[in-house]
Amino acid sequence: MNDNGQQLSDPMVFTETGHLTPEMIAAYLGQEVSGEERQAVQQHLLTCKECRVDLAEASELGAVGRRVRWLAVGLPAAAAAVLAVVLLGPATRDATDDTPVLRGEQAEGTARFKAVSPVDGAEVSLDSLVFRWRSEGTGVHYLLTLTDENGDVFWTAGTSDTSLALPLEVGLATGQRYFWYVDALLEGARSSTTGVREILIQP
Amino acid sequence: MTPPVPRQLAELLNAPHAAARNGAWDAFMGEYSKLLLRTAQRASSSRDDAMDRYIFILEQLQEDDFRRLRAFTADGRGKFTTWLVVVARRLCVDHHRSKYGRPQAGHEPTGANSVAHAARRNLLDLIANEIDVDGLEDEGSLHPDAELLSAERRQTLTAAVAELGLGDQLLLTLRFEDDISVEKIAPMIGLQSRFQVHRRLRHVLEQLRRKLIDRGMTES
């Protein structure tokens, strides 16, 4: 039994002290766990604040590594992700179904639409920085997110338009790299994204 | 598919002699020192504290011929950076405990008590904020003992939450007990965007509302 009174039956899931193993947290975040393991992990997380903090930190900081690696790998990885969605097929979700349908959520989240400008990797001037993207139809709400190199959100703004100018008060540092992406909230509880684009602010 | 062991880690663990090991350690640190430092910083309240923990992490990772790092290959699932953050964070906790001792038992609610505690503390707030439970009225609304009524409502809510799926209970816990933003919650529960978390939350809260009404609470 662990500190929380739970039965510990699987050493791959729990450490000797009754917490989730780092491997299991990494596998859970990477969605590489079986249904049974996912249940065991979530059951434990409900009652273990310490593991929830581990999970939050790993999710956030681990994502920095993942994001940088994704950007470094570039198109092949993105293409592989899209291909995976195509191979897995579109998934639908019953709004009344209360069990998480992760494959469907992933597939729906990976849908893409085109970011127009600035182009990926562009050097841009602060006084003319306007983000533009293709329309995903009428009545669509867009959310633009700008992050720094560590993946920390620097600025975010919503609009129904297909462009947003960077407000003057958002102080980007010259010579620094930033990353931006737009999420579109579509009808029928679907969403799509432009994927991450990189910009370099001109000195 | 088993993810590959990162090159810097493989070179470190397979270094044939001390000189090669030193070079491989430098390369490993070149790749991961920033991540380890950030982990130490986030677990610390001051710069000195962070540097103490950072050094402790490095010492512990090197200990016994990189015993901890070798453990990564034992399972092989998940991203190495994610795994490394958890290991580093737990080393920070060890460091803190070695310095200040363990917290006294009873300071942190555990097990089923934790759920009940969380429910008592937050979920009524959640309902009040999200589905306007103040606008809900039941047969006991005219009861003079408001505290008793409030306790009954909490009990009802706790029971309703316990009927939700594990994933949805976790979502509520992360959002309303741990106060984590929807953006950060998304990867923690396998969703891709904050929109999906918002939608899931709306759905769960609607479910809760229905359950409360089923239990005799009615909208005023």
Side-chain angles (χ1 to χ4, degrees):
Chain A
M1 301 281 270
N2 70 356
D3 294 345
N4 298 333
Q6 291 172 323
Q7 195 68 39
L8 306 182
S9 56
D10 189 346
M12 294 306 289
V13 179
F14 297 106
T15 65
E16 287 173 0
T17 53
H19 293 292
L20 295 169
T21 62
E23 287 82 4
M24 189 47 59
I25 290 178
Y28 174 81
L29 283 172
Q31 295 174 30
E32 298 172 78
V33 290
S34 67
E36 199 177 328
E37 286 172 329
R38 168 169 288 273
Q39 269 208 320
V41 169
Q42 291 187 334
Q43 182 76 60
H44 177 80
L45 287 170
L46 276 176
T47 57
C48 183
K49 171 85 175 173
E50 212 166 315
C51 283
R52 290 204 302 273
V53 175
D54 283 343
L55 181 75
E57 291 289 287
S59 173
E60 202 171 339
L61 291 179
V64 174
R66 285 199 295 276
R67 188 168 307 172
V68 169
R69 186 162 297 126
W70 181 85
L71 288 163
V73 172
L75 189 60
V82 172
L83 182 61
V85 171
V86 171
L87 292 174
L88 287 169
T92 55
R93 183 173 184 78
D94 179 356
T96 61
D97 178 10
D98 62 354
T99 56
V101 182
L102 295 175
R103 187 166 70 93
E105 297 284 7
Q106 288 156 17
E108 125 186 349
T110 317
R112 296 296 169 113
F113 64 103
K114 189 171 172 52
V116 176
S117 65
V119 295
D120 195 16
E123 256 193 64
V124 294
S125 164
L126 264 183
D127 26 35
S128 62
L129 183 50
V130 180
F131 301 95
R132 294 189 172 86
W133 54 92
R134 287 269 169 83
S135 170
E136 280 282 83
T138 54
V140 174
H141 186 75
Y142 302 94
L143 188 71
L144 187 148
T145 305
L146 183 69
T147 75
D148 63 16
E149 279 188 291
N150 294 325
D152 294 330
V153 174
F154 202 81
W155 177 63
T156 183
T159 179
S160 297
D161 206 338
T162 55
S163 66
L164 266 174
L166 187 77
L168 289 174
E169 61 269 22
V170 180
L172 301 190
T174 56
Q176 293 293 307
R177 290 183 188 283
Y178 293 90
F179 300 95
W180 68 283
Y181 57 92
V182 180
D183 289 322
L185 183 57
L186 309 170
E187 284 184 2
R190 293 177 300 117
S191 66
S192 58
T193 181
T194 57
V196 182
R197 298 287 187 275
E198 181 180 356
I199 52 172
L200 175 66
I201 306 301
Q202 282 177 350
Chain B
M1 192 178 74
T2 302
V5 175
R7 180 177 54 80
Q8 292 86 352
L9 177 63
E11 287 176 2
L12 178 64
L13 301 183
N14 298 323
H17 48 75
R21 221 166 13 247
N22 289 341
W25 176 250
D26 289 345
F28 181 85
M29 290 308 296
E31 181 73 13
Y32 300 110
S33 60
K34 193 176 171 188
L35 186 64
L36 295 172
L37 184 57
R38 285 199 81 197
T39 307
Q41 284 170 334
R42 290 167 65 108
S44 309
S45 54
S46 70
R47 190 177 171 279
D48 287 348
D49 212 16
M51 290 315 292
D52 278 355
R53 286 183 184 170
Y54 177 63
I55 290 166
F56 182 76
I57 291 170
L58 300 193
E59 285 171 353
Q60 294 297 308
L61 290 181
Q62 292 180 86
E63 197 183 61
D64 293 342
D65 192 23
F66 309 107
R67 174 178 58 83
R68 286 183 173 80
L69 292 174
R70 289 182 193 283
F72 175 69
T73 56
D75 182 286
R77 286 188 293 182
K79 297 280 190 277
F80 177 67
T81 48
T82 311
W83 179 91
L84 189 60
V85 168
V86 178
V87 170
R89 217 196 80 76
R90 288 184 175 171
L91 286 172
C92 290
V93 173
D94 288 348
H95 180 260
H96 182 87
R97 284 175 177 161
S98 69
K99 211 170 165 186
Y100 304 107
R102 294 178 72 91
Q104 292 295 307
H107 284 196
E108 282 281 322
T110 58
N113 285 343
S114 171
V115 176
H117 177 76
R120 280 196 301 274
R121 199 180 60 195
N122 293 99
L123 290 178
L124 198 65
D125 295 340
L126 143 73
I127 290 294
N129 291 335
E130 299 287 336
I131 63 171
D132 192 20
V133 78
D134 292 337
L136 298 175
E137 196 172 17
D138 68 8
E139 289 174 354
S141 61
L142 299 177
H143 198 288
D145 192 340
E147 212 169 285
L148 180 64
L149 172 62
S150 176
E152 281 175 6
R153 281 183 167 165
R154 287 188 193 111
Q155 266 187 350
T156 306
L157 181 60
T158 304
V161 168
E163 288 177 4
L164 296 171
L166 281 176
D168 288 342
Q169 289 185 52
L170 181 59
L171 170 60
L172 293 179
T173 303
L174 293 171
R175 182 69 190 99
F176 296 101
E177 184 179 347
D178 298 349
D179 201 23
I180 298 174
S181 71
V182 290
E183 187 177 20
K184 289 178 182 170
I185 286 174
M188 296 170 73
I189 57 172
L191 299 182
Q192 290 289 312
S193 72
R194 70 185 77 181
F195 292 135
Q196 292 175 351
V197 178
H198 276 304
R199 284 200 301 277
R200 192 75 211 155
L201 268 175
R202 274 202 302 274
H203 177 62
V204 172
L205 293 174
E206 176 56 25
Q207 271 192 299
L208 272 181
R209 194 181 73 85
R210 283 200 303 267
K211 286 176 186 295
L212 291 180
I213 291 170
D214 287 348
R215 283 170 163 79
M217 292 189 179
T218 55
E219 288 175 283
S220 57

